[in-house]
Amino acid sequence: MTAPTSPASTRRTEGRNAFQETLLGIEYGPRPDVDLFSQACVEQFQEFQTTAYGYDFAQVFEPNALTEVALLAGLDPTAVADLTHRPTPGTVSLAELTEHSADLPVVGLVNVASALISVSRFGLAERLLDQAAARSATARETFEVAMLELIVANRRDDGVGSPRAFARMRQAIETGGVPADRSLDGCSQAVVWYLKRKELPEESFRWYLRLGRELVARHSDMPTAAVSSWYRALAMSPAAEGDAVTTRQYMDNARRAAEETYAHTPRAYELHLLKTYHESSIKEHLYVTGDIDRAVESGRDLIALDPVWAPSYGELGEVLAKAGRAEAAARMYEKAAELGPPYYGHHLLQAARLREKAGDGERALGHYQSLTELAPDSEPLLEAGLVLARTLSHDSAAYFDDALGALRSGANADGSARS
């Protein structure tokens, strides 16, 4: 029995997008469709140095993003994650720096760890940070190491290690020697991750909140990139209380600071600040103002800023789904899947569910089939496909039933028992 096939518009293409190339090789070939993250990530690595702080992140992805990229490329995720797979001069250089990390000063360890984090190699980064923490002798060194430890903990273990990192950052700031903008960056992180997941004690959160307000008031020359991030984080506080007016005031401050930053330094990293502003605006209108039209407008602004970035279409798809426009939402998620990673699997799964909701079972089955090709051991995916196929009396039910039966029996392809 043949399985259903995916529509050409949503089937994963053979070629890799710029994001895949960037995560796999920290570079991308000549192409017209380069997203802002990839531009910023590669530019930062090209400017890499081991003697001065300042390795900027446009965005940091979870380990699963790297795993998905590896699987879509037909590569061993472990070899990709530990840099055994070194397809480019950049990955060769990064692997060699990692292997010879004992020769690096603390600032060098921090920057190599930053480069690793920027392409989601968290295990390797953690090893370097352990070395850096053991050798840190100044408040600045302690702060920078703790900031990266926070990022690693946040992405790898749901923030289990975050309280310790925030405590060390606070100690470093109180000791002195941490620049005001970096201290403000720490405050922004504290506000975001307390309000999202309570990753630090409330007393510590209050301390960072007070400090952030004081720093912005005291330093009129504060770098606007740090100010933009601060106000975007701060807006989460009134948003949590349903205060739409104050939320918008803080968001306007974030936007103005982002625009000023980009006007002064027109690079991909600085433009990314405006991108995150639009992302936050979508959430503002979805969950605070309840204005779906403005949420859609923010989603379209987000796409216009970076039209080849798949997650932006997913963001708009979420808005349309909440508005009850299942077919339109499915089209957005399908466009996201067509563009490729990050979040290819998530986008295609949402498209499948929305197509099913909109009554387009054939397309939904095609999406489930594409998903099972990527994750053949996913019982929930096979079950969803089987239930839908049986509901439609579709002959693909045999395909899903057979695959599910083989999985449940624990049979590997060679017939041996699954461990």
Side-chain angles (χ1 to χ4, degrees), residues 41-314:
C41 185
V42 171
E43 285 174 3
Q44 192 63 213
F45 186 72
Q46 289 172 341
E47 297 170 3
F48 177 85
Q49 55 182 307
T50 59
T51 57
Y53 294 113
Y55 202 108
D56 293 322
F57 300 108
Q59 193 168 347
V60 179
F61 291 89
E62 306 82 358
N64 285 344
L66 183 64
T67 300
E68 180 181 70
V69 162
L71 291 173
L72 288 170
L75 299 170
D76 175 12
T78 300
V80 170
D82 65 15
L83 285 179
T84 302
H85 177 70
R86 307 173 185 182
T88 64
T91 51
V92 170
S93 173
L94 186 55
E96 290 177 346
L97 283 165
T98 303
E99 290 165 357
H100 298 92
S101 57
D103 300 329
L104 295 170
V106 171
V107 62
L109 290 169
V110 166
N111 285 352
V112 175
S114 297
L116 290 164
I117 290 169
S118 74
V119 286
S120 302
R121 269 68 169 190
F122 297 105
L124 295 177
E126 191 171 41
R127 279 168 34 196
L128 267 63
L129 291 174
D130 287 343
Q131 296 178 45
R135 291 161 50 188
S136 294
T138 69
R140 179 68 187 278
E141 290 174 345
T142 298
F143 177 89
E144 297 296 347
V145 172
M147 176 68 92
L148 294 186
E149 288 175 336
L150 166 67
I151 293 171
V152 172
N154 181 272
R155 298 305 190 274
R156 290 189 84 192
D157 59 12
D158 293 329
V160 171
S162 295
R164 177 176 177 271
F166 276 118
R168 292 181 63 204
M169 289 162 59
R170 175 176 175 175
Q171 181 182 26
I173 293 170
E174 289 178 324
T175 300
V178 180
D181 62 317
R182 292 299 287 148
S183 296
L184 187 61
D185 288 338
C187 296
S188 298
Q189 292 291 327
V191 171
V192 168
W193 293 110
Y194 178 81
L195 293 173
K196 275 191 174 183
R197 295 197 310 212
K198 301 293 190 293
E199 288 192 13
L200 65 161
E202 182 177 357
E203 184 278 329
S204 184
F205 158 68
R206 297 293 176 192
W207 182 88
Y208 277 107
L209 184 62
R210 288 193 302 272
L211 176 63
R213 294 181 186 278
E214 291 170 6
L215 287 169
V216 171
R218 191 189 317 148
H219 296 274
S220 59
D221 59 345
M222 179 76 72
T224 50
V227 172
S228 180
S229 297
W230 165 249
Y231 275 115
R232 194 162 37 81
L234 191 60
M236 293 176 62
S237 182
E241 299 172 358
D243 183 348
V245 173
T246 306
T247 299
R248 180 37 40 187
Q249 289 174 348
Y250 290 156
M251 288 295 291
D252 283 339
N253 289 345
R255 174 183 50 78
R256 284 192 291 268
E259 290 172 342
E260 184 178 341
T261 302
Y262 184 69
H264 183 264
T265 311
R267 302 182 308 171
Y269 170 78
E270 284 72 20
L271 191 55
H272 213 276
L273 292 170
L274 277 170
K275 182 174 163 182
T276 52
Y277 161 78
H278 290 309
E279 290 169 345
S280 296
S281 293
I282 292 173
K283 299 297 188 288
E284 173 193 0
H285 296 308
L286 271 183
Y287 302 112
V288 183
T289 69
D291 191 330
I292 293 294
D293 289 339
R294 291 187 70 184
V296 169
E297 181 182 354
S298 293
R300 298 201 183 284
D301 288 341
L302 179 62
I303 290 171
L305 193 65
D306 194 4
V308 297
W309 186 238
S312 297
Y313 294 87

Side-chain angles (χ1 to χ4, degrees), residues 296-355:
V296 169
E297 181 182 354
S298 293
R300 298 201 183 284
D301 288 341
L302 179 62
I303 290 171
L305 193 65
D306 194 4
V308 297
W309 186 238
S312 297
Y313 294 87
E315 294 267 11
L316 182 53
E318 180 185 356
V319 174
L320 295 170
K322 287 186 179 297
R325 299 169 59 185
E327 186 174 352
R331 288 199 300 270
M332 287 295 105
Y333 280 114
E334 286 164 352
K335 177 62 176 178
E338 179 186 348
L339 288 169
Y343 312 134
Y344 167 81
H346 168 73
H347 292 147
L348 198 54
L349 178 60
Q350 296 306 313
R353 290 170 173 168
L354 286 160
R355 282 294 177 189

